[in-house]
Amino acid sequence: AQKITQTQPGMFVQEKEAVTLDCTYDTSDPSYGLFWYKQPSSGEMIFLIYQGSYDQQNATEGRYSLNFQKARKSANLVISASQLGDSAMYFCAMREGGSGGYNKLIFGAGTRLAVHP
Amino acid sequence: NAGVTQTPKFRVLKTGQSMTLLCAQDMNHEYMYWYRQDPGMGLRLIHYSVGEGTTAKGEVPDGYNVSRLKKQNFLLGLESAAPSQTSVYFCASSLLAGGPNTQYFGPGTRLTVL
């Protein structure tokens, strides 16, 4: 069965430093997508970055990059030059299959990141 | 551009009462979803819709019903609320399925069942 595991309940990082949030997944489907969302204290879910299972290069979006290691089934989020506004809950999510998967997402339990000045 | 909106933002119910949560999107998206988020857990899919007039069960559908009479609206109903349904409910929509078609989320509804 498909599953997303985020093993770090909480992480701390100094402002301006980089931080890696871990995510491992389990699926037998060769076609899948991986997403990262940010949930600040205000509660909304904000899309950060996407990686497709067939993408040859790691995804990047500004200060966010996804360290995709397909053989290890890991999709870690790297935030460079952390800012105080990065303090939030971060969720890794997976969609199995292509369009037949109807874009249904399975979420991990999340990692709470605290950025210290 | 409002994106995805949810009504109401907060609600308190007594056990056995019923209510309907409304989700509306103005992005002409085909797919819509209802999730619940409980403390210490990620979001779990309740029901989803792949187009007007269609609905399907997700991971945790028991105790909920949904309807998608109009493309822009997706309603989540609780016929007889139970304390176990105390949660934060999120609606989301996406243009298509597959690929990088991300889901856009509403602000959430915090529901407490006493």
Side-chain angles (χ1 to χ4, degrees), chain A residues 2 4 6 37-39 43-46 89-94 104-110, chain B residues 6 33-47 58-60 87-93 103-109:
Chain A
Q2 53 180 308
I4 292 282
Q6 294 180 254
Y37 284 86
K38 172 184 179 181
Q39 187 178 42
E44 72 268 32
M45 296 288 288
I46 302 168
M89 197 76 170
Y90 289 81
F91 290 98
C92 179
M94 178 175 67
K104 293 182 290 180
L105 295 178
I106 300 294
F107 284 82
Chain B
Q6 293 182 231
Y33 314 83
W34 276 107
Y35 294 89
R36 61 178 288 173
Q37 183 179 27
D38 300 306
M41 301 181 70
L43 278 69
R44 292 183 293 167
L45 183 64
I46 304 171
H47 286 281
E59 183 185 0
V60 288
S87 189
V88 180
Y89 291 86
F90 286 95
C91 176
S93 70
Q103 293 184 20
Y104 295 90
F105 284 81
T109 294

Side-chain angles (χ1 to χ4, degrees), chain B residues 42-71:
Chain B
L43 278 69
R44 292 183 293 167
L45 183 64
I46 304 171
H47 286 281
Y48 65 99
S49 168
V50 302
E52 181 178 323
T54 72
T55 63
K57 294 180 180 180
E59 183 185 0
V60 288
D62 293 342
Y64 305 95
N65 56 76
V66 288
S67 64
R68 182 110 181 259
L69 299 179
K70 293 183 179 180
K71 185 177 183 178

